[in-house]
Amino acid sequence: MIAQEQLVAKARDLYGEVDALVDLIQNAIEEKVPVHTVEKNALARVLEIGRRSLQLLFDALGTGDVGPTLELPDGRVLKRLKDLRKRSYQSIFHEFELERYVYAEREGQKIEFVPLDARLALPNSKFSFLLQDFDQNLTMEQPFGQVKKTIARILGVEQHVDSLERMNRKRGAHVENFHFHQPPPPIEEEAAIVVETADGKAIPIRRPADAPPIQDHERRSGPKPDRKKMATVASVYTVDHFVRNPEEVAERLFRDPQDREKAKESKRKRPRPRHRRMRASLNFVNVQGEPICGRAAMFGWMTDEIASRNPDGRKPLVSIMDGEEALWRELEVFQDHLDRVEILDLLHVTPRLWTAARLFCDSDTQAEQYVRERVTRILRGESQGVVRGMRQMASRRGFSGKAKEKVHKICNYFEKNHHRMRYDQYLAAGYPIASGVIEGACRHVVKDRMERTGMNWIIEGAQPMLDLRCVFLSGQWDDFMDSYITTQIKNTHPYRDMIDNLPWHIAV
């Protein structure tokens, strides 16, 4: 009864803060206070209400004294240690210092159970799960230093950049478990075609501190393997059929962006990808000390994802990638048992035609006409005829040296991939022929966050960011955080279920 009366008395103080918020509005009306000032003052008052609310909760629950001893489910008997132990808890409202009893088999032994921590489901770090969520959600788009400033400005909570980086790595370590237990999308929400696509994207990597100094300080052209590492970005999604003809596609490729009226007349509603899931991986060493090949890991994941989303194989499987043979060989290793339609990404065809056009044509107008004619022919399934024509034109003009080499390289690229360039069949079947999804993924996952001016990474920091960015951009952040918090609570408080059977008295 006394505890209840004290709780009510402390609650009145909290109600007083709410009354103060109402007074703030009344004053704003009478004094004609600008609304932005009202917002600022109201936020400060709301944060204070939040602080007092949590303080009331902590006061009510007290020190977590549930008796001199308690028995664990495995039969071990723990003793309440003599002195109260302190811990910090940084919420979005305020940093609190909690004093509570802890239980162990005896003094000096490992603490096995902390009743107050278990009842509150506290994280094993001082930062609240909600604050961690805010922090890491912001780090998906902004550098750690900027996130530190943003949170401090809004909530008045000061954090170190190192803390934000550690949070990021810890969450990244949970991504694999999240994907392993993630169910496939609901069948009724899936589309008719399963599409897989993958590509590589380089990430700037900081040289290790113990690496030997670079002796050659001259500018070097070409790849710099000591400065960048290749990540494999992969995606699986479903999409409905969208039948088109070659002329429609060519018209869309060469349409003047300013000609909006014409675009409206010819525009048909394209089906949108459904449940697009992405992963990305560097070569790295996992927490068990095992070396992981990023490319193999991503193709293995795509294969598992396809199996879960198309278990009976009834839906057509379309594989869209560029012409890098290493990617297609990897696909063959993991998916030799699957029937699939292999498509060379059209976005890797047109740039090569433009390169040829600049060799054969004297003006931009001629070059555009050249490319448009040959794109249309390729879309009609005439890629081999286009290659023969390019070789003949180069021969008639007596190309030599670099010009001849460029034409030869383009023609070889098309010849090696001609079996993936049956675009007339793909369009008639309503299949996608360009991997805008993976091109966008490489840009969003890597470039927009990890290739900003002056940025460089270490592998241990880059891989978690890749993992979390893919979760974030796949629209799975909330599900991931729920999974992460549930796992953390289970691991941190394995005996939390005992709380229901322990004597607990309100302390205020």
Side-chain angles (χ1 to χ4, degrees):
M1 181 63 68
I2 295 175
Q4 184 64 28
E5 290 175 355
Q6 291 177 339
L7 180 62
V8 171
K10 289 196 174 186
R12 289 197 187 99
D13 294 336
L14 183 58
Y15 297 148
E17 290 296 325
V18 176
D19 291 338
L21 184 60
V22 175
D23 292 340
L24 185 150
I25 302 302
Q26 182 64 39
N27 181 68
I29 295 172
E30 295 173 355
E31 301 295 331
K32 301 181 179 63
V33 179
V35 67
H36 65 274
T37 303
V38 177
E39 286 183 79
K40 182 178 180 180
N41 294 336
L43 176 60
R45 184 61 62 186
V46 167
L47 292 175
E48 178 61 19
I49 291 173
R51 185 191 71 79
R52 292 194 177 220
S53 298
L54 288 191
Q55 188 64 65
L56 180 60
L57 173 65
F58 297 146
D59 289 345
L61 294 179
T63 58
D65 182 359
V66 294
T69 62
L70 62 86
E71 184 178 349
L72 295 180
D74 60 11
R76 288 183 296 153
V77 176
L78 304 181
K79 297 179 180 179
R80 183 186 65 209
L81 302 189
K82 181 179 178 181
D83 298 323
L84 291 167
R85 306 294 175 92
K86 295 180 180 180
R87 69 157 290 171
S88 295
Y89 179 70
Q90 177 66 69
S91 76
I92 64 169
F93 303 118
H94 183 72
E95 183 170 357
F96 299 87
E97 188 171 84
L98 307 181
E99 291 188 326
R100 70 270 196 262
Y101 282 108
V102 301
Y103 288 75
E105 292 191 46
R106 61 179 181 273
E107 291 284 355
Q109 294 295 306
K110 176 185 175 183
I111 296 172
E112 300 281 356
F113 190 60
V114 185
L116 181 63
D117 292 13
R119 179 154 182 171
L120 293 168
L122 297 181
N124 58 7
S125 74
K126 79 172 188 176
F127 301 103
S128 79
F129 285 125
L130 183 58
L131 178 58
Q132 292 181 47
D133 187 359
F134 289 175
D135 284 334
Q136 294 307 305
N137 193 282
L138 287 172
T139 63
M140 293 301 97
E141 300 287 359
Q142 297 294 330
F144 296 112
Q146 184 59 48
V147 172
K148 172 183 180 294
K149 294 177 183 178
T150 300
I151 291 293
R153 181 169 179 79
I154 296 173
L155 299 177
V157 174
E158 295 292 341
Q159 300 170 95
H160 294 290
V161 169
D162 288 348
S163 297
L164 298 174
E165 292 180 348
R166 285 194 296 271
M167 283 184 207
N168 190 265
R169 295 184 191 186
K170 190 170 182 178
R171 264 150 197 74
H174 181 71
V175 170
E176 189 65 37
N177 181 68
F178 170 70
H179 284 297
F180 182 79
H181 292 96
Q182 187 179 31
I187 295 176
E188 64 274 11
E189 295 180 9
E190 290 279 53
I193 306 167
V194 180
V195 183
E196 63 176 349
T197 180
D199 201 358
K201 183 64 177 173
I203 295 176
I205 297 295
R206 184 190 313 159
R207 286 170 53 80
D210 58 352
I214 298 175
Q215 299 299 323
D216 179 13
H217 293 282
E218 297 179 3
R219 294 178 63 88
R220 292 178 294 162
S221 60
K224 299 174 178 60
D226 58 329
R227 300 184 194 176
K228 288 194 172 185
K229 298 294 182 184
M230 189 64 68
T232 301
V233 184
S235 180
V236 176
Y237 61 94
T238 61
V239 69
D240 283 324
H241 296 274
F242 186 55
V243 177
R244 294 160 290 168
N245 60 50
E247 289 70 26
E248 281 183 276
V249 177
E251 174 65 28
R252 187 177 182 86
L253 286 174
F254 291 90
R255 179 186 302 144
D256 184 349
Q258 303 300 320
D259 194 352
R260 296 182 179 179
E261 291 303 319
K262 189 174 181 180
K264 288 180 182 178
E265 292 175 5
S266 60
K267 187 176 182 180
R268 288 192 292 147
K269 189 175 182 180
R270 295 174 62 88
R272 298 181 65 83
R274 301 186 190 177
H275 292 285
R276 181 190 64 176
R277 293 179 175 177
M278 293 186 295
R279 298 286 305 273
S281 181
L282 294 154
N283 295 339
F284 68 100
V285 177
N286 66 13
V287 293
Q288 288 79 32
E290 303 165 334
I292 301 297
C293 172
R295 179 174 289 173
M298 292 302 92
F299 278 85
W301 168 75
M302 285 198 299
T303 304
D304 292 341
E305 184 74 8
I306 289 164
S308 69
R309 296 173 68 165
N310 189 27
D312 52 13
R314 293 183 182 180
K315 294 180 179 180
L317 171 60
V318 172
S319 307
I320 309 177
M321 296 190 291
D322 65 23
E324 186 182 349
E325 284 301 317
L327 295 175
W328 293 105
R329 285 196 300 269
E330 204 75 47
L331 194 67
E332 191 68 29
V333 169
F334 281 90
Q335 298 183 12
D336 183 51
H337 61 292
L338 296 179
D339 292 328
R340 61 186 184 276
V341 179
E342 296 184 355
I343 300 178
L344 177 66
D345 182 1
L346 186 65
L347 298 178
H348 289 266
V349 173
T350 51
R352 288 168 171 79
L353 291 175
W354 277 106
T355 299
R358 293 186 182 96
L359 295 172
F360 293 127
C361 303
D362 298 325
S363 68
D364 291 344
T365 302
Q366 289 179 347
E368 181 175 333
Q369 183 178 358
Y370 176 93
V371 175
R372 183 164 188 158
E373 288 176 355
R374 280 148 186 83
V375 165
T376 303
R377 289 182 60 193
I378 288 175
L379 290 170
R380 290 172 180 163
E382 302 173 14
S383 62
Q384 291 180 302
V386 170
V387 169
R388 286 194 298 269
M390 290 174 62
R391 291 192 185 279
Q392 292 170 2
M393 187 178 294
S395 179
R396 286 197 302 269
R397 297 196 177 190
F399 277 7
S400 61
K402 289 186 177 181
K404 182 178 180 180
E405 183 181 343
K406 286 182 179 180
V407 173
H408 180 69
K409 187 175 181 180
I410 293 168
C411 291
N412 278 353
Y413 182 86
F414 289 159
E415 286 174 340
K416 287 181 180 178
N417 289 284
H418 75 90
H419 59 293
R420 303 182 184 116
M421 298 174 68
R422 303 186 181 102
Y423 296 110
D424 55 329
Q425 299 177 24
Y426 310 148
L427 293 174
Y431 297 152
I433 60 172
S435 60
V437 166
I438 201 64
E439 295 291 333
C442 287
R443 182 177 71 253
H444 295 314
V445 173
V446 179
K447 188 175 181 62
D448 290 354
R449 177 62 179 88
M450 304 179 73
E451 282 194 299
R452 297 184 182 185
T453 303
M455 278 193 177
N456 51 69
W457 300 75
I458 59 173
I459 298 293
E460 294 79 5
Q463 186 56 52
M465 181 58 74
L466 285 174
D467 287 331
L468 293 170
R469 283 279 289 172
C470 288
V471 169
F472 178 78
L473 294 171
S474 296
Q476 300 171 314
W477 185 261
D478 289 342
D479 290 340
F480 170 77
M481 284 304 301
D482 288 344
S483 171
Y484 174 80
I485 292 172
T486 299
T487 301
Q488 287 296 305
I489 292 174
K490 182 178 179 180
N491 292 340
T492 305
H493 308 291
Y495 307 118
R496 188 166 188 263
D497 290 344
M498 292 174 54
I499 292 295
D500 294 337
N501 301 317
L502 295 176
W504 201 296
H505 303 287
I506 298 300
V508 293

